[in-house]
Amino acid sequence: MQRRKSPTKKCLPSTFRELTGLCGILLDGGFTLEVLETSITEERKETESAVQSKNGRRRFRKNWLKTGKRLEEIRGTHTFNGKESYLKLIPKNLGETFLFRDFHTGLKETYPGVKAEDARIMLWCLCRMGIVVQGEKKGRFNSYSLGKR
C-alpha cells in the first residue's frame, strides 16, 4: 500500500465556502456550528487495466477505483455559537475601517495558507451576518468596518 500526502490544504476560513447558504441562521440563538480539523485517508483498490469510475464522471481512465474513506484522527475542534465566536476570527490589527487587502493580510498572519478567494468568501459571509458592514468606496475598493456589537 502506497501513502502520499494530499496537495489539498484547507484552513478554518476555507470552511466559509460551505456556509454561504447558511449565513441567515448562523447567528440564531439555538444554532451551534462545530468545525472539526481531521486527517482522512482515501482507500483505493488497484485494477489490472485502466477503468472509468462507476458513475462515469472520470474523464481519464485510471488503474484504480475508490473504495472508501477512513478517519485517521481529529486534530481539533472549533465551536461557533453567537456573534462573539465569529468576531474571534477577524484579525486584531485592523483599523476602524479596512479594505479587503488589509483583511486578507491579517488572516495570513493567523492562517498562513489562506487563499484570497477563501478570505473574500469569509468576508462576504461576515457581511451577510451583520458582523462586518460594507462602507463607501475608497477609489475602486470597498471599505469595511465592524458592525454594532
Side-chain angles (χ1 to χ4, degrees):
M1 177 171 86
Q2 295 177 339
R3 293 185 71 105
R4 73 169 184 86
K5 288 203 173 208
S6 171
T8 304
K9 302 291 182 230
K10 301 276 182 162
C11 57
L12 191 58
S14 64
T15 59
F16 279 85
R17 178 178 297 282
E18 308 299 326
L19 301 177
T20 55
L22 298 175
C23 288
I25 64 168
L26 287 175
L27 292 179
D28 286 353
F31 187 83
T32 301
L33 176 69
E34 195 164 338
V35 179
L36 300 175
E37 293 179 28
T38 61
S39 174
I40 297 176
T41 301
E42 182 179 90
E43 298 171 339
R44 297 176 179 179
K45 180 177 78 173
E46 255 186 82
T47 58
E48 293 179 14
S49 61
V51 294
Q52 193 169 6
S53 59
K54 292 178 184 176
N55 59 5
R57 286 187 314 190
R58 188 179 295 160
R59 184 172 177 181
F60 301 104
R61 296 173 186 243
K62 308 283 183 182
N63 62 344
W64 51 266
L65 288 172
K66 291 181 189 177
T67 58
K69 294 183 180 182
R70 183 175 60 244
L71 177 65
E72 294 294 326
E73 66 176 315
I74 297 175
R75 294 184 180 147
T77 61
H78 302 277
T79 305
F80 298 100
N81 186 7
K83 195 173 191 175
E84 291 300 319
S85 58
Y86 290 100
L87 280 171
K88 292 177 185 175
L89 295 175
I90 297 175
K92 305 289 184 240
N93 57 356
L94 295 176
E96 191 173 310
T97 63
F98 56 92
L99 302 175
F100 167 74
R101 173 180 51 223
D102 306 326
F103 182 76
H104 182 227
T105 305
L107 271 183
K108 277 203 252 183
E109 293 173 8
T110 310
Y111 306 101
V114 69
K115 298 177 182 173
E117 185 178 341
D118 292 335
R120 192 173 307 283
I121 291 173
M122 179 180 172
L123 187 60
W124 181 86
C125 285
L126 292 173
C127 285
R128 291 288 173 149
M129 293 163 60
I131 295 172
V132 174
V133 178
Q134 184 175 342
E136 58 191 44
K137 286 192 168 253
K138 290 187 178 180
R140 60 185 187 128
F141 302 107
N142 291 324
S143 67
Y144 299 92
S145 62
L146 292 179
K148 296 178 183 175
R149 290 194 174 221

